[in-house]
Amino acid sequence: IQMSKIYKYFSNDVIELVFQKEGFCGVKCSLPQDYNDPYELFLGMDLNTPADQLAFYNDIISDIPQSPTTCFSKSPIVSPMWAHYANNHTGFVLEFDLESLQEHFKGNPIWDVTYRDAPSEHLQPILQRAAVLKKPRHSYALQEYIFVESYFAKYDDWKYEQECRFVDMKRVTEKVAGNDILYIPCDLVTGIIIGSKYPKENVGLAQEIAEKNELTWYELVIGKSHPKPYMKNESKDVFIFSDSDILIAPNTCDSCSEPLVAESDLCPWCSITEAHEDDAVRSNPFRMLSSMGQLDSYMKSMGKIGK
C-alpha cells in the first residue's frame, strides 16, 4: 500500500538553497555509484555460480544506467535519520504528497525500497537462463531485474530508514553547479518540520519560508515520557505521527502537554506528587548510609566486587 506522504531530511544550512528557485523546492540527486553505503548496490551473487555465468553477469551489470536518484523516508520521526541526515536534530524535514509527486513526474519510478538479508533467490535462475541460452530477451529480463535490485533493494541493517526512492529515468533533473537537482513544485510540498535542536536564530526564516510556500510548520519535540518524537505547530497544538500521517494528538498531558500513551490526565512524570518525592527521599537507602557517614566506605567496598 503506497503511503500518502513521504519525507526528506536536510541539514539546516541548506534551507535557503532548497527554496532558492521561486515556486520550487530543489532536491539534490546522487548517482548509485556515489551512495554512502558501499554495499548498497544489492548485486551479490551466490559464489557457487559458475565462472562463465559470473563473467556474463558482470558484463550485464556494467550496462546498468547511472540515473540521478534521491531518497525519501515514509516517516518524519526516525531518530537515526535526524542524527545522520539532519545534523543531530539541528536540521529539518520536508513533507511531500506522494500521489501528486508520482503524477507530476510520471514515468520516473518513486518506489519503496525492499530490505533483505541476502540477494534475491530469483536472480540466479534468471542469470542462468540468460547466460546459457544467449537470447536477447533473456538478457533484457536479467538487466531489468538487476536494475530494480540495484536501485530498490538494501540490506536489512537499513530497514529503520523506511526508504523510498525517486529515479530520474526521463531526465527531468537539472545541472546546477555540477549537481543534479530535482525541482519539485512547492504545491507538492505540504509541510516542514524543524528539528528539536534547530538553531533558534534560524527559526524565523523557516517560518517565513513555510508561510510563503503555504507549508504546514511543525517543530519536533523529544519528550520525556512519550516513546517517539512528536510535533508542535506555531499555536502549540500537539501532533503525533501515526498511520503514515501527522495527526493531532488524541490525548495530551494536562500539565506538560506531551501526548499520552495510556488513558490518563497526566503523563507518568507529571503524576509525581510532593508526597511521592518526600517518600522517595525518606526511603532512599543511600541517604540513610550518608547520614550515618557510611556511604563512601559502602561504595568503595561495592566497587571492589567483580575486580
Side-chain angles (χ1 to χ4, degrees):
I1 298 171
Q2 288 284 12
M3 304 302 175
S4 58
K5 298 289 196 308
I6 55 175
Y7 303 87
K8 190 162 183 67
Y9 293 72
F10 298 86
S11 58
N12 69 71
D13 56 347
V14 300
I15 189 164
E16 288 180 286
L17 206 56
V18 168
F19 289 97
Q20 189 174 42
K21 186 175 180 180
E22 190 74 24
F24 290 88
C25 159
V27 172
K28 185 180 175 183
C29 296
S30 302
L31 299 178
Q33 64 194 21
D34 301 325
Y35 288 168
N36 62 352
D37 175 13
Y39 301 101
E40 195 157 321
L41 286 181
F42 208 93
L43 301 176
M45 178 53 68
D46 187 331
L47 296 181
N48 294 318
T49 303
D52 60 329
Q53 291 184 25
L54 282 176
F56 186 88
Y57 177 69
N58 206 39
D59 197 50
I60 292 287
I61 286 177
S62 66
D63 288 333
I64 294 175
Q66 289 284 318
S67 297
T69 302
T70 194
C71 305
F72 300 88
S73 175
K74 292 187 285 185
S75 170
I77 58 168
V78 182
S79 292
M81 300 281 281
W82 275 102
H84 185 67
Y85 297 106
N87 283 37
N88 195 26
H89 292 77
T90 62
F92 63 99
V93 164
L94 291 181
E95 179 186 68
F96 299 86
D97 184 274
L98 177 56
E99 283 76 18
S100 299
L101 276 178
Q102 289 171 325
E103 181 63 31
H104 184 80
F105 294 112
K106 192 173 283 186
N108 295 293
I110 307 176
W111 296 346
D112 290 356
V113 167
T114 299
Y115 298 95
R116 286 199 290 270
D117 58 7
S120 170
E121 59 187 21
H122 302 297
L123 187 53
Q124 194 170 15
I126 294 173
L127 166 61
Q128 186 175 16
R129 187 163 55 244
V132 172
L133 299 178
K134 306 289 194 298
K135 291 186 182 295
R137 62 191 172 95
H138 296 315
S139 293
Y140 182 81
L142 175 63
Q143 192 174 56
E144 286 283 287
Y145 198 89
I146 291 172
F147 170 81
V148 175
E149 286 293 286
S150 64
Y151 281 91
F152 298 103
K154 294 178 75 170
Y155 282 99
D156 271 338
D157 291 353
W158 298 88
K159 190 179 258 183
Y160 68 85
E161 292 183 339
Q162 302 179 50
E163 189 178 340
C164 59
R165 284 185 178 162
F166 166 93
V167 180
D168 182 17
M169 303 293 292
K170 300 288 187 181
R171 295 291 179 254
V172 294
T173 52
E174 298 178 26
K175 280 286 185 189
V176 180
N179 295 310
D180 293 299
I181 304 297
L182 176 69
Y183 284 108
I184 301 171
C186 285
D187 292 350
L188 312 186
V189 190
T190 52
I192 181 170
I193 306 162
I194 66 167
S196 57
K197 298 178 184 176
Y198 198 82
K200 287 191 167 43
E201 63 273 18
N202 295 347
V203 171
L205 173 62
Q207 290 173 330
E208 285 172 26
I209 286 173
E211 187 176 354
K212 179 182 177 184
N213 295 288
E214 299 182 3
L215 312 180
T216 306
W217 184 93
Y218 304 98
E219 180 178 14
L220 192 79
V221 182
I222 310 295
K224 292 189 298 180
S225 61
H226 197 258
K228 295 179 181 178
Y230 61 96
M231 285 149 273
K232 288 185 177 180
N233 63 8
E234 290 178 83
S235 304
K236 302 301 180 186
D237 300 317
V238 178
F239 297 81
I240 58 171
F241 182 71
S242 177
D243 296 326
S244 313
D245 211 348
I246 296 173
L247 307 170
I248 193 84
N251 199 13
T252 58
C253 175
D254 289 347
S255 179
C256 70
S257 299
E258 274 199 24
L260 295 172
V261 176
E263 285 293 327
S264 177
D265 294 326
L266 297 172
C267 73
W269 291 105
C270 293
S271 299
I272 298 172
T273 64
E274 283 188 27
H276 290 136
E277 291 172 344
D278 291 344
D279 187 54
V281 169
R282 281 195 303 272
S283 59
N284 186 338
F286 287 164
R287 288 185 182 275
M288 297 176 194
L289 287 169
S290 180
S291 67
M292 294 185 288
Q294 296 176 6
L295 182 60
D296 286 347
S297 60
Y298 174 79
M299 298 302 282
K300 283 176 185 175
S301 64
M302 290 301 290
K304 291 176 183 176
I305 295 175
K307 290 184 179 180

